[in-house]
Amino acid sequence: MLETVSALFLRADGRVLLALRASWKRAWADHWDAIGGRVEQDEALDAALVRECREEVGLTPTTYRLMLSAEERFPARNGAALHHIYVVSGWDGGEAENLTDEHVRIGWFSLDEMAALPNLTVPDLIAVVREYAAVR
């Protein structure tokens, strides 16, 4: 089964980094999503997380916690997958940059702004951030 990793970068001010997926993407086109992608064969989840974040936004996670592993909600449409969602609260690399054509743009959102997005890939992303803040 395909596995993915996703990073919810969380700043000290409570804002979360999201990326708007390109319209050509097979799964979740034109939806706001966490930073991440596929886990390669025999790749550890942590290694995939670091690699995907470097490739997509130029940031290297240094402090992170796996918060949720969930199966794809619409496997008939998007393919079967197991998604691993991390909250990243520390990183190296300065400011995030959109380094791939996989995203139309990136931006930092408050939880209220995230809740108002009509096209968030996984509504549970907000709950994941809230849970992280509660156990931190």
Side-chain angles (χ1 to χ4, degrees):
M1 174 185 291
L2 169 71
E3 288 188 275
T4 69
V5 290
S6 297
L8 290 165
F9 284 88
L10 178 62
R11 292 193 319 204
D13 65 2
R15 296 180 83 77
V16 177
L17 181 64
L18 297 176
L20 181 60
R21 293 173 62 85
S23 58
W24 61 263
K25 297 291 287 182
R26 177 178 168 260
W28 299 104
D30 302 313
H31 280 72
W32 287 97
D33 197 7
I35 305 302
R38 294 174 183 234
V39 177
E40 295 177 359
Q41 186 174 352
D42 299 323
E43 185 177 32
L45 293 178
D46 290 1
L49 178 75
V50 169
R51 177 184 52 75
E52 285 288 341
C53 292
R54 285 179 180 160
E55 290 174 359
E56 293 189 5
V57 294
L59 301 178
T60 302
T62 58
T63 305
Y64 49 89
R65 178 181 292 164
L66 176 62
M67 295 299 297
L68 177 68
S69 293
E71 291 188 16
E72 169 60 43
R73 292 183 301 146
F74 302 104
R77 180 180 74 195
N78 297 325
L82 181 59
H83 304 293
H84 305 283
I85 302 172
Y86 290 78
V87 171
V88 178
S89 58
W91 58 87
D92 292 329
E95 293 297 318
E97 296 180 58
N98 187 9
L99 299 176
T100 72
D101 66 347
E102 295 181 22
H103 307 116
V104 176
R105 67 180 199 247
I106 62 173
W108 292 94
F109 295 85
S110 69
L111 294 183
D112 288 341
E113 291 167 336
M114 286 175 67
L117 291 171
N119 55 349
L120 191 60
T121 55
V122 182
D124 288 349
L125 295 180
I126 297 166
V128 166
V129 174
R130 286 190 174 129
E131 180 182 340
Y132 175 83
V135 299
R136 190 173 178 194

